[in-house]
Amino acid sequence: MTSRRIVSNEQTSLNKDNGNPSVSTSTEKSNVAPAVPAMVIYKLLGFTLAMVAGPIMTYYLTLNTIFRGSSTWAGATAAIMANVVLVAYVIVAMKEDQSDRLAAEEKARKGE
């Protein structure tokens, strides 16, 4: 494999960044705030745990207690539980999106 030789009048990629206005200088403060709020991460982790543990627990709890060894019915119940968790996550996400939109509208209304 061959490599490209840099001619002296060409700039390397490191030298080209000096004129780029999107690169921050040392006098500017950088924004180190997380892109996603912590509560969103916690909700996602909670629903992930529920999506993994809920159907598995439902399957094993109903296999011998309710359905007396019928794995078909216990599996169907576990699938229903997975759908319940999924629908609950969608509802929570929609309510969160609505509350963010309402807060932005209220802030815009107060700013006028």
Side-chain angles (χ1 to χ4, degrees):
M1 180 177 262
T2 62
S3 63
R4 184 172 177 253
R5 184 173 51 101
I6 297 176
V7 182
S8 63
N9 61 356
E10 289 184 4
Q11 291 183 344
T12 64
S13 60
L14 295 175
N15 293 336
K16 288 181 183 179
D17 286 340
N18 290 338
N20 191 353
S22 66
V23 176
S24 64
T25 61
S26 62
T27 59
E28 296 178 16
K29 287 189 174 185
S30 63
N31 185 6
V32 294
V36 179
M39 281 306 296
V40 173
I41 300 294
Y42 295 145
K43 286 179 192 174
L44 182 63
L45 288 175
F47 277 104
T48 301
L49 180 67
M51 185 60 95
V52 171
I56 293 172
M57 287 179 15
T58 302
Y59 176 79
Y60 286 110
L61 287 175
T62 60
L63 181 61
N64 292 322
T65 57
I66 296 174
F67 299 118
R68 301 188 197 281
S70 174
S71 62
T72 303
W73 289 105
T77 307
I80 290 170
M81 180 57 72
N83 286 313
V84 166
V85 172
L86 180 65
V87 169
Y89 178 74
V90 169
I91 290 171
V92 168
M94 286 176 55
K95 285 190 178 199
E96 181 179 325
D97 188 40
Q98 288 175 353
S99 65
D100 290 345
R101 186 172 38 92
L102 292 175
E105 288 175 359
E106 185 68 28
K107 185 178 179 182
R109 208 176 306 140
K110 285 184 179 179
E112 292 177 356

